[in-house]
Amino acid sequence: KQWYQRRVRAAHIGEGLVRGGKSFLMGLYHGVTGVVVKPVEGAAQEGVEGFFKGVGKGLVGAVTRPLGGINDMITYTIDGIHHHTQIDEKILVLRHPRYIQPDKILRPYNSTQSEGKYLLGQVTRHNQWNDTYYHHSLLTTKSTFILTDQRCLLSEYDDVLNQWKVEWSHVYHDIERMPSVMDNGICVVFSAFMDPNVGFSKFFKNRRKKTRMVTLPTPEETQVMVERFAIKLRKTNKKRFAQNTGDSCWDKCCRCL
């Protein structure tokens, strides 16, 4: 992940300062914690000899890690300044590139799909996701809800970093039940299990549930989103989201999770 982030150069001064400051703080954090962690790890593996080896590694890391962070901070900041001060000829984009669906069949140009594919590319620019675009809806000028072949995600535009960022995302396997529509007809509500390795969830033994509410512009767009959402959920887990008229096992218990 660090190698991938170094490949993506800072687009402007703000992004360079933020990424540089984060790199410095992470280097300082790993350097300080290494003084404690390395001796403990060495003692667990090699006993007393490993303990003293760990002390040496921790002391070396306490110096080299912050220095590496300072080097990254300077590099990111210079890249941001260089890119920001470059005088490039601005190219007027008349339309987004054509979206080619996974079946590789060439179809008439669809501006909505092309826009969604472009937004997904902007959102996943700093992630290592390999998702394929499926459907999306612009909630506001700076917020969009996207469905891919693997997950649903809410993205918002960050004016400071001048880029799209992921507010939250859930893979389809983590979604508990089919999304429902609120009385006003423009809100999609669903519950999902939080990733136990992200945020405060890692401090809890059991996976916690989180209710998500997405407000769409019109009732018609809400209905389309619910239908597309349901299709992806059924393809992901046919047993849990089986379409029938009676109560499924999922409505009675959660043992099949």
Side-chain angles (χ1 to χ4, degrees), residues 75-95:
T75 302
Y76 286 135
T77 304
I78 292 176
D79 283 344
I81 295 174
H82 175 71
H83 193 279
H84 193 80
T85 54
Q86 276 185 332
I87 303 176
D88 296 330
E89 182 181 357
K90 294 185 177 180
I91 301 175
L92 179 62
V93 179
L94 298 179
R95 71 178 191 180

Side-chain angles (χ1 to χ4, degrees), residues 175-214:
I175 296 179
E176 181 190 13
R177 60 181 70 249
M178 283 289 185
S180 59
V181 182
M182 298 291 286
D183 295 336
N184 56 11
I186 60 172
C187 289
V188 178
V189 181
F190 65 94
S191 58
F193 290 95
M194 301 294 290
D195 189 341
N197 299 315
V198 175
F200 292 102
S201 299
K202 59 186 177 182
F203 297 107
F204 295 86
K205 182 177 180 180
N206 298 322
R207 303 184 69 186
R208 299 179 299 149
K209 296 179 184 178
K210 182 74 173 181
T211 300
R212 300 295 190 185
M213 179 179 295
V214 182

